[in-house]
Amino acid sequence: KLLAKGSASEEAAILKGKRVLITAGPTREPLDPVRYLTNHSTGKMGYAIAAAAAAMGAETKLISGPVELGVPAGVTRIDIGTAQEMFEAVMADLNFDIIIMTAAVADYRPKSVQSQKIKKVPGDLALELTRNPDILYEVGQVKDKQILIGFAAETERVLEHAEEKLRKKNLDMIVANDVTVKGAGFGSDTNVVTFITAEGEHIAFDQMEKAEVAKAILKKAVSLINKA
Ligand code: CTP
């Protein structure tokens, strides 16, 4: 059969027999029974990757913080709240061909969670925070054959910071995006990204739909598997 390059039928097969793990969304770090710390992540980029991975035939697991999105067709979703819960859910099974971390994990959590609602008192209130695990870094330390891909959402010196993270976290590829650019980052349906591989390759894309960014990431991941 003749199939156009990049046609749906061709894409449908490229991840058949592969296992793909994705983290997505924000985390929620409780302060007391009624309050938490979080961020503006909507989960759109991670969910787009999960949807594309399943459509390309992968057994796809999505570990997700609280978002407004439905579970994409063919995807197994595990819901978590805190960074610590996401860390444990990830570490429970690392037997994947491709691991892509898009979650906006809170780097810090309140040092103690109050069991009763914090009451206001005159004057200022200082919050003491403690570090959460860096999930991507920890997976990088123990990974074997998995293709490990991270995201770097930056506001300045984007490529420099992304390359630093690629190396520090022992990644095969990092997807860098400048969140100050129009049509990129939080809440947007589009993104403007550059892929940087461990081998030093830079691939810069124009603004694309997140669904297209997702396909491009997965195709590149397959080529990295084939090279390994
Ligand atoms: N990440 C993670 N666990 C964390 C923090 C980040 O798994 N505790 C992952 C994200 O999912 C993303 C990548 O690491 O793939 C980069 O996250 P980012 O917040 O941009 O970088 P940080 O390492 O937190 O660095 P900094 O906050 O200094 O920019």
Side-chain angles (χ1 to χ4, degrees), residues 23-25 83 86 90 100-108 131-139 149-154 161 164-165 168-169 171 174-175:
T23 69
M86 181 174 274
V90 167
I100 305 174
M101 301 216 170
T102 74
V105 183
D107 288 322
Y108 298 90
R131 280 289 299 274
N132 273 330
D134 184 331
I135 303 166
L136 184 56
Y137 174 86
E138 296 300 336
V139 173
I149 300 177
F151 270 70
E154 306 289 347
H161 282 142
E164 221 173 271
K165 284 177 190 173
K168 202 175 81 190
K169 302 195 188 193
L171 310 180
I174 193 150
V175 180

Side-chain angles (χ1 to χ4, degrees), residues 85-151:
E85 287 164 7
M86 181 174 274
F87 176 65
E88 285 163 22
V90 167
M91 289 300 177
D93 179 11
L94 290 175
N95 183 24
F96 290 88
D97 301 283
I98 301 168
I99 301 177
I100 305 174
M101 301 216 170
T102 74
V105 183
D107 288 322
Y108 298 90
R109 66 176 181 274
K111 191 158 187 175
S112 63
V113 181
Q114 302 305 311
S115 58
Q116 304 299 330
K117 188 182 166 195
I118 299 168
K119 304 302 281 182
K120 65 176 164 299
V121 289
D124 297 339
L125 173 71
L127 283 180
E128 201 176 351
L129 303 177
T130 189
R131 280 289 299 274
N132 273 330
D134 184 331
I135 303 166
L136 184 56
Y137 174 86
E138 296 300 336
V139 173
Q141 298 312 295
V142 298
K143 88 180 181 86
D144 177 27
K145 287 273 160 60
Q146 304 93 324
I147 296 297
L148 183 60
I149 300 177
F151 270 70

Side-chain angles (χ1 to χ4, degrees), residues 11 43-49 51-52 56 151 175 177 182-185 187-195 205-218:
E11 273 164 16
K44 281 180 180 172
M45 192 62 249
Y47 276 59
I49 297 171
M56 290 172 171
F151 270 70
V175 180
N177 72 312
K182 202 169 154 274
S188 177
D189 288 316
T190 59
N191 211 346
V192 184
V193 301
T194 301
F195 296 172
F205 295 88
D206 292 331
Q207 183 179 313
M208 287 194 287
E209 294 292 318
K210 284 183 173 173
E212 296 305 314
V213 175
K215 281 186 208 163
I217 291 168
L218 290 164

